[in-house]
Amino acid sequence: MKIAVVGTGYVGLVTGTCLAETGNQVICVDINEKKVKMMQEGKLPIYEPGLEQLFERNIGQKRLHFTSNLAEAIAEAKIIFMALPTPPGGDGSADLSYVLGAAKDIAKLITEYKVVVTKSTVPVGTADKVTAVMKANTNVDFAVVSNPEFLREGVAVEDFMKPDRVVVGTLDDRARKLMAELYGPYVRQGNPVIFMDERSSELTKYAANSFLATKISFMNEIANLCELVGADVDMVRRGIGADERIGKRFLFSGIGYGGSCFPKDVQALAKSAEENKYDFRILNSVMEVNEIQKRVLVEKVKKYFKGDLKGKKFAMWGLAFKPETDDIREAPALYIIDDLVAAGAIVTAFDPEAMNNVKTLVGDKIKYAQDQYEALEDADALLIITEWSVFRTPDFEAMDEKLKSKVIFDGRNLYDLEKMVDLGYYYNSIGRKLIS
Ligand SMILES: NC(=O)c1ccc[n+]([C@@H]2O[C@H](COP(=O)([O-])OP(=O)(O)OC[C@H]3O[C@@H](n4cnc5c(N)ncnc54)[C@H](O)[C@@H]3O)[C@@H](O)[C@H]2O)c1
């Protein structure tokens, strides 16, 4: 099938590449010409495990193309995906200007029936808005479909190729058939393509992300309580996770959720509820807890150094909002850097993939190390921010040689407490006993 993907960010590029992988002809279009040129030269603009191989193969086999010309991209496409940003507007609601702007441009260009799919995360009612904008700009027949994306950065290719489920919101028969045909190869093992109306589909995405964010905030509150009552959050997690009704996943406590989705999606759902005169109390608490949790690690650091961080040197392991991505949008690391630097501390960071993005954002506000051990040179303490695999079993002897003091603040609970006692570290993690 001929497909166009408008917007080649984390979602659009993975979508386009994975759709080409099953034999479709895909043209990806982006307004960022520098990015388009890069992709035309066969270079990936983002880090996403497994993507490079598929990207190269499909470009090589001429199924995956890039352009900055929308007309060229959609001319022959049966289905047009919009994978455009929906950042928070000033009031927290999702900014639909990218989606509605592209819908208008698409409408002006189409000459035959097209299925226009919103892959961006958009509030309930957006399909109606897209339809209205398009109707005002064309007399040609079209269908607007909601098809939210559930991929996780870091395992995006796997998630797209083998989704737990595909949600498609449309009441248009022709569109439904085309979408079923397109997704068929991805659900051969029997995972469902769930068809529903557009509004339910739009809300499903926000409900999923908000529920997951709720789990995180809930566990962070349990962790904070654990510290007060002398319990161990990792034990509690295992204890409740064994209950099938609760499940093992998304129960890790830490330093708050970040990334390009959870913060903005929880906020947008709360705003959407408010606009409909519904006070979504749980969501407001989820956000409040997260704001506090983002600062928990720095509070621990300040307490240890008796409020005086001036001139103190900190090594920081991890900058990305989670492992296996270079994405730093709303990353807890950024808040922690701000707080430490504002208090007069000197920060040297290492991240396997996200350092360039952080350099672009904060420049020389912090120092950057070539590897995780170099970051420790003469540091008063190490802060663990992202749970990259390489930080899980480090060479503690090499660490001892570099660190000025054997002090670790671990926002991800990577190390065994008994081991830290044996190694003689001061070790302050989240929701567990303080080793001092
Ligand atoms: N990143 C994720 O993990 C994820 C997962 C599920 C859903 N989503 C949702 O998918 C949407 C896209 O997210 P993302 O992370 O891929 O965003 P992104 O910022 O990485 O990418 C968006 C791309 O769209 C391009 N663009 C902007 N305006 C354009 C236009 N008029 N025409 C063509 N291209 C244009 C930008 O240049 C950019 O390359 C958002 O609504 C997001 O909430 C994201």
Side-chain angles (χ1 to χ4, degrees):
M1 209 180 307
K2 293 197 168 145
I3 310 287
V5 180
V6 187
T8 58
Y10 286 86
V11 169
L13 187 53
V14 170
T15 300
T17 306
C18 292
L19 287 174
E21 179 68 10
T22 54
N24 297 296
Q25 269 296 332
V26 180
I27 304 188
C28 296
V29 54
D30 205 289
I31 44 163
N32 183 336
E33 291 185 10
K34 206 170 132 203
K35 205 171 181 180
V36 170
K37 190 162 177 281
M38 210 176 152
M39 294 184 290
Q40 284 170 337
E41 288 166 1
K43 291 185 210 132
L44 264 185
I46 55 166
Y47 172 73
E48 187 58 49
L51 185 60
E52 197 164 7
Q53 195 191 357
L54 267 61
F55 177 78
E56 284 171 2
R57 178 162 59 222
N58 286 286
I59 292 174
Q61 296 179 0
K62 302 199 173 359
R63 285 191 299 267
L64 182 59
H65 312 270
F66 300 96
T67 178
S68 46
N69 183 331
L70 183 65
E72 181 195 336
I74 68 169
E76 291 186 25
K78 274 191 179 170
I79 303 179
I80 304 166
F81 281 93
M82 292 194 290
L84 294 159
T86 47
D91 62 356
S93 62
D95 174 358
L96 289 179
S97 59
Y98 295 88
V99 170
L100 297 179
K104 185 177 175 186
D105 294 343
I106 291 167
K108 285 183 179 163
L109 291 166
I110 58 174
T111 53
E112 56 181 355
Y113 175 81
K114 303 274 183 195
V115 174
V116 178
V117 182
T118 309
K119 243 207 182 314
S120 304
T121 302
V122 293
V124 173
T126 301
D128 294 339
K129 287 186 182 163
V130 172
T131 304
V133 163
M134 289 191 64
K135 275 203 171 138
N137 288 281
T138 185
N139 292 321
V140 176
D141 196 14
F142 64 87
V144 173
V145 172
S146 159
N147 171 219
E149 182 49 60
F150 297 97
L151 64 75
R152 296 161 297 166
E153 285 176 23
V155 275
V157 171
E158 202 182 312
D159 281 349
F160 196 97
M161 296 306 290
K162 289 183 183 170
D164 289 342
R165 80 317 204 171
V166 176
V167 169
V168 179
T170 182
L171 297 176
D172 181 294
D173 258 356
R174 260 198 290 181
R176 184 191 160 110
K177 279 191 192 115
L178 281 171
M179 294 298 282
E181 186 187 331
L182 185 70
Y183 277 114
Y186 302 88
V187 291
R188 284 167 56 85
Q189 285 176 341
N191 287 352
V193 178
I194 307 169
F195 287 97
M196 57 181 79
D197 64 277
E198 295 85 345
R199 284 176 176 253
S200 303
S201 167
E202 289 164 343
L203 190 53
T204 298
K205 174 65 192 177
Y206 281 109
N209 273 2
S210 299
F211 186 73
L212 293 171
T214 304
K215 269 182 119 174
I216 294 173
S217 276
F218 179 82
M219 281 313 286
N220 283 334
E221 293 238 87
I222 293 286
N224 295 338
L225 188 58
C226 279
E227 289 186 18
L228 294 174
V229 300
D232 184 326
V233 75
D234 278 346
M235 293 301 127
V236 178
R237 172 178 60 78
R238 289 169 62 182
I240 64 170
D243 184 331
E244 278 183 14
R245 294 170 304 175
I246 295 172
K248 293 187 180 61
R249 297 164 76 181
F250 259 82
L251 291 183
F252 287 86
S253 50
I255 43 177
Y257 59 77
S260 68
C261 293
F262 284 7
K264 82 171 172 59
D265 292 351
V266 176
Q267 204 183 9
L269 183 56
K271 188 69 196 169
S272 194
E274 190 189 313
E275 282 164 11
N276 286 283
K277 305 203 169 13
Y278 185 75
D279 181 10
F280 207 138
R281 296 172 191 82
I282 292 177
L283 287 190
N284 294 328
S285 298
V286 167
M287 291 187 282
E288 199 184 323
V289 169
N290 199 55
E291 281 310 304
I292 295 166
Q293 201 66 19
K294 286 194 296 204
R295 255 96 202 181
V296 155
L297 207 65
V298 174
E299 288 308 314
K300 285 174 184 275
V301 173
K302 283 187 174 161
K303 201 168 162 200
Y304 178 84
F305 288 101
K306 302 195 171 50
D308 183 14
L309 302 188
K310 210 163 169 34
K312 293 278 178 311
K313 291 183 181 166
F314 295 106
M316 194 180 248
W317 280 3
L319 294 166
F321 85 92
K322 67 173 181 180
E324 297 299 333
T325 183
D326 60 353
D327 198 344
I328 56 159
R329 289 178 282 185
E330 292 292 320
L334 300 176
Y335 296 93
I336 292 169
I337 287 171
D338 277 351
D339 286 355
L340 292 177
V341 172
I346 299 154
V347 177
T348 304
F350 172 75
D351 185 285
E353 293 294 339
M355 289 207 291
N356 282 342
N357 285 341
V358 172
K359 261 184 211 165
T360 308
L361 195 70
V362 309
D364 57 9
K365 192 168 169 179
I366 62 167
K367 296 178 182 171
Y368 304 89
Q370 295 292 325
D371 65 56
Q372 68 198 72
Y373 299 102
E374 189 189 302
L376 304 172
E377 200 81 61
D378 207 26
D380 292 284
L382 161 65
L383 274 64
I384 299 175
I385 309 299
T386 316
E387 64 276 35
W388 283 93
S389 301
V390 284
F391 303 150
R392 285 178 194 273
T393 42
D395 178 346
F396 283 102
E397 273 180 31
M399 289 170 68
D400 296 353
E401 280 170 24
K402 301 264 180 186
L403 279 166
K404 196 194 291 174
S405 321
K406 290 169 76 168
V407 177
I408 299 179
F409 297 92
D410 182 357
R412 301 296 177 183
N413 291 359
L414 293 191
Y415 308 132
D416 180 65
L417 295 181
E418 278 178 28
K419 181 165 179 150
M420 300 315 280
V421 173
D422 291 348
L423 289 170
Y425 268 86
Y426 169 95
Y427 181 63
N428 198 336
S429 52
I430 307 289
R432 303 193 298 172
K433 193 175 152 197
L434 170 68
I435 307 298
S436 60

